[in-house]
Amino acid sequence: MINKSFWHDKRVFLTGHTGFKGSWLSLWLSMLGARVTGYALAANTTPSLFELARVEHVIHQSVLGDINDLANLELAMQQARPDIVIHMAAQALVRDSYVNPLETYQTNVMGTANVLECVRRTPSAKAVVVVTTDKCYENKEWCWGYRENDTLGGYDPYSNSKACAELVVSSYRQSFLQNEGIAVATVRAGNVIGGGDWARDRIVPDCLRAIEAEQVISIRSPQAIRPWQHVLEPLNGYLMLAERLYKIGNEWAEGWNFGPNDCDVRTVGELVRRLGEKLNFSYAFNPVDELHEAQCLRLDSSKAKSRLKWEPKMNFVEALDWIVDWYNAYQDKQNMQEFAYEQIRCFMKK
């Protein structure tokens, strides 16, 4: 459970605050009374949750910058004097990583090293949460969930770069940070869905774009199995873990999975069918093998459930209902900042 009083006036440096997950976390931290400094490139979708929910107006400072620019990143972090750093900025799309592999490695590997190097040079920082992915494991297409001690790997450049980022964090932790009293952990979420996501090549945004264009959406991997979860689920875990890192330290400085319950691990096809029923759009299953993608992916979150007392609060159907509610509110031109706050408040009451 999140301790509201802990976050009041905490200085948080959040990379990637203009993205989908980063915008939701910025809003949540603002509700908790944290002083958030965001550092990221400009939002790269139109529309974007960052702009719709007016995120810039509810956080302490929004700095536009690239994590590959070490000097600018260091200046922004030292001026923010953070207690806690949460690193979300990344090249986060599998298919883009095939098109721009070097950019993917530069951002996800060296960008992470830059963030940790800046943490070393920022005396105020005590806790760091680095967001990687459920795809950082060597995928063996087995039917049970990957655990935190399973082998890291990654076939495509995105997944592999995130496994590399995990190794960078481990090295910085052991070589520098733990000796300086800075606790750093990595977090690996499932396939995150929710309102306000307009990224390319993600299944829910693709469905919503098809609705608006009045087109039939073509699904390339309907049998692929993924650990779907509402965006607020892993963010809840990140906040709970950050508090432990800050208060207790290196006892919590390791890798953590935050995925859905096994019963909510579903195929791409089922997600599309259920969303199609709720929003009345047409789809076609058109399997193609142009690029390799894992067919079966599950996460074992037993450690987070046991040690952190974190639990998923929503099931698969509820997560889709919340997406539909968001989309309808957006279509009705409601105040999306207030709507986002209301969804966060409802989630926290669960």
Side-chain angles (χ1 to χ4, degrees), residues 195-232:
D197 186 6
W198 279 278
R200 291 178 296 105
D201 289 324
R202 286 187 188 153
I203 191 63
V204 171
D206 285 349
C207 289
L208 300 183
R209 276 188 287 270
I211 295 172
E212 295 184 351
E214 298 183 345
Q215 295 177 345
V216 176
I217 183 171
S218 182
I219 308 302
R220 64 179 179 267
S221 300
Q223 299 306 316
I225 296 170
R226 293 290 183 267
W228 308 106
Q229 61 186 155
H230 192 273
V231 61
L232 296 179

Side-chain angles (χ1 to χ4, degrees), residues 36 54 58 68 91 122 175 177 193 204 210 213 231 252 291 349:
V36 179
R54 304 192 310 282
V58 299
N68 293 309
Q91 193 299 96
T122 305
S175 300
L177 300 179
I193 55 177
V204 171
V231 61
W252 297 85
L291 296 173
K349 291 176 182 177

